[in-house]
Amino acid sequence: MVAGLVTDLYELKMAASYLRRGMSGPAAFSLFVRALPPDRGFLVAAGLEDCLTALESFAFEAEDLDWLRDAGFDDATVQAFAGLRFTGDVRAVPEGRVVLADEPLLEVTAPAAEAQLVETVLLNHITYQTAIATKAARCRLAAGDMELVDFAFRRTHGIEAGMAVARLSSIAGFAATSNVEAARRYGLPAAGTMAHSYVEAFPREIDAFRAFAEDLPGPVTFLVDTYDTLAGVRTAVRVIKDMTLDRPLAVRLDSGDLVALAREARQILDEAGLRKVRIFVSGGLDEYDLERFVLERAPIDAAGVGTRMGVSADAPSLDSACKLVAFGGRPVCKLSPGKATLPGAKQVWRHFPIEQDVLALREEAGPDGFEPVLVEVMRNGRRLGSEGTIDAARERCVRDVTALPPDVRRIRGPSSPRMRVSEGLAALATRTARSAARTQDLTW
């Protein structure tokens, strides 16, 4: 259950005023990203499933109501909050789909107090998870044929963030995660090697490698850079041959010039007749490193991608907003310089390949050959259909990202597909802006 107090204080204050004044008409809020971060030609929508779970379970518990009384909310308001549940409708971009700046990722229509109170939770889930999913998708784009493993758990901003990163990286096409609970919770492959502490715990590096191979069945990856990397590769070769290991094997490089070391390690392994032993790299990697590995044709088979992906280090947040676009059937907009909004509930229409989306009013018909991007996912506060799967989201991600022009998929300095505003939306925006400007006429 999501407690009613999981919000910002001003949401509670506004909702209290709506309730006191009987302003229960439908309020439509649109959640979007104003501008893409640097080096982003697109975003990958994520966070919807957690949003729907939060909306279905929204309620004020007894202790929440006690806090409201102590905070100065009157008894009538507290009683109104006590019976409040989310009863609205939601249209959203399914997880894994590509979105552009100014396109709604999610739209909520609900009685004003309900819609206002859930704004913060929706922004939290969508903003964070879309940033991470986009970063992970860029890593997958940059890596070519390399297998990628999520190594982010120990440095994500909290335990639940680590769970989300494992799920989102799988949507983006990562093969596995080091996060065991996330693997269990979401049915993902778990992957892990060994730490330098394990190697240091034994008198000699070779003793550590032998013990690890003896004690643990299944695939074995030898961490070879605790002391001298290339000597470590030769030690791994000796252990593999002495123990006649016949299972999936790899050496892991975690420091130094990974391109040069991978080449030398590959030569050592090949000369020893161990062409099937893979090379796995890690150590502060993201899409820029992965792109370099591919461009320099480094013989790297797999990579663990951790901190920089798990916190989206170069773009840790998005310029997201959740704005009122209609109230009681009346379109509204904001005219603030640099933060103006478009009125009315909307739909995004898309054609493949993705070269130009059309942003239109929800009731407008789309252009011939275009498909709608936002779909109805909740009605009267209840989810429509079963919870979305990672596999389905991954298929959507692959389909949309593949359909982007090459210059949009570039890792550095990408362009972004154009987004055209429909004639109907443009006309409504003009009328609504004029009406909004007249509301500031203080002559009476």
Side-chain angles (χ1 to χ4, degrees):
M1 179 173 290
V2 173
L5 297 188
V6 182
T7 189
D8 292 303
L9 180 59
Y10 81 156
E11 310 282 24
L12 287 163
K13 289 182 175 182
M14 289 184 285
S17 180
Y18 293 148
L19 292 168
R20 176 180 289 275
R21 294 177 176 275
M23 297 173 66
S24 58
F29 280 81
S30 185
L31 194 160
F32 58 96
V33 174
R34 291 190 181 99
L36 301 184
D39 274 347
R40 302 296 192 269
F42 64 93
L43 299 174
V44 175
L48 175 59
E49 293 302 323
D50 282 340
C51 286
L52 298 179
T53 299
L55 294 175
E56 282 192 316
S57 63
F58 179 83
F60 287 87
E61 296 295 308
E63 56 267 31
D64 302 330
L65 301 174
D66 290 340
W67 186 92
L68 289 168
R69 290 189 186 92
D70 293 341
F73 288 87
D74 61 65
D75 287 341
T77 298
V78 172
Q79 287 305 310
F81 282 149
L84 209 62
R85 301 292 186 273
F86 183 78
T87 63
D89 303 335
V90 179
R91 288 177 178 264
V93 178
E95 288 190 309
R97 296 218 66 177
V98 160
V99 289
L100 309 177
D102 289 324
E103 294 182 346
L105 285 97
L106 178 148
E107 290 199 332
V108 169
T109 303
E114 298 174 23
Q116 196 72 67
L117 286 169
V118 300
E119 176 188 19
T120 297
V121 167
L122 299 181
L123 274 167
N124 184 285
H125 284 309
I126 296 291
T127 304
Y128 172 72
Q129 294 193 40
T130 296
I132 299 300
T134 303
K135 183 73 170 178
R138 284 165 52 78
C139 289
R140 183 61 274 167
L141 271 176
D145 294 331
M146 262 181 281
E147 184 178 276
L148 299 181
V149 178
D150 160 39
F151 268 19
F153 193 26
R154 59 183 54 200
R155 296 206 181 97
T156 56
H157 295 163
I159 300 300
E160 285 307 310
M163 298 298 163
V165 169
R167 179 177 175 275
L168 299 169
S169 62
S170 181
I171 288 173
F174 279 47
T177 179
S178 67
N179 183 336
V180 179
E181 170 55 18
R184 183 202 65 81
R185 184 182 299 183
Y186 300 120
L188 306 176
T193 60
M194 63 173 66
H196 296 102
S197 58
Y198 183 85
V199 177
E200 294 165 347
F202 288 81
R204 299 181 301 166
E205 184 178 59
I206 195 170
D207 299 328
F209 287 3
R210 282 175 175 156
F212 200 78
E214 287 173 357
D215 295 346
L216 297 165
V220 174
T221 297
F222 299 102
L223 179 60
V224 296
D225 74 326
T226 304
Y227 306 117
D228 179 284
T229 300
L230 297 181
V233 175
R234 294 186 180 93
T235 300
V237 167
R238 179 177 170 184
V239 170
I240 292 168
K241 286 183 168 293
D242 288 349
M243 297 180 67
T244 60
L245 297 177
D246 185 20
R247 45 180 146 157
L249 301 168
V251 295
R252 176 181 162 203
L253 312 174
D254 190 53
S255 59
D257 184 340
L258 296 178
V259 172
L261 289 170
R263 288 174 177 149
E264 293 179 271
R266 185 75 271 160
Q267 183 176 349
I268 293 170
L269 293 167
D270 289 352
E271 288 175 352
L274 300 176
R275 296 182 182 276
K276 291 185 178 181
V277 176
R278 303 205 308 163
I279 295 176
F280 186 102
V281 299
S282 57
L285 307 179
D286 66 7
E287 68 266 43
Y288 301 105
D289 302 292
L290 298 170
E291 180 184 53
R292 179 171 61 86
F293 297 160
V294 171
L295 291 175
E296 297 186 21
R297 298 184 179 182
I300 295 170
D301 301 289
V305 185
T307 304
R308 293 182 184 174
M309 185 268 293
V311 301
S312 188
D314 64 322
S317 187
L318 301 173
D319 185 16
S320 58
C322 188
K323 297 302 179 184
L324 184 70
V325 294
F327 186 86
R330 173 176 58 89
V332 300
C333 68
K334 181 178 174 180
L335 302 180
S336 308
K339 294 186 176 181
T341 58
L342 292 169
K346 301 173 186 69
Q347 179 58 275
V348 175
W349 294 93
R350 175 167 295 165
H351 184 271
F352 288 81
I354 305 173
E355 295 176 345
Q356 182 184 68
D357 285 350
V358 177
L359 181 63
L361 294 170
R362 183 181 296 173
E363 62 270 19
E364 286 186 274
D368 290 343
F370 282 62
E371 67 175 38
V373 176
L374 282 86
V375 298
E376 187 180 17
V377 293
M378 177 170 279
R379 188 184 305 152
N380 299 326
R382 309 313 301 174
R383 187 194 302 256
L384 299 178
S386 58
E387 185 172 340
T389 67
I390 289 176
D391 287 345
R394 187 185 303 115
E395 289 176 7
R396 288 189 290 265
C397 186
V398 170
R399 178 178 181 240
D400 275 14
V401 171
T402 302
L404 291 168
D407 59 322
V408 176
R409 288 186 276 126
R410 280 200 305 259
I411 300 304
R412 298 176 187 273
S415 61
S416 185
R418 295 169 295 165
M419 192 270 289
R420 176 171 65 84
V421 174
S422 71
E423 292 181 4
L425 177 54
L428 180 65
T430 299
R431 294 195 303 270
T432 306
R434 288 172 180 167
S435 177
R438 285 198 298 268
T439 65
Q440 291 195 297
D441 183 357
L442 301 182
T443 303
W444 63 80

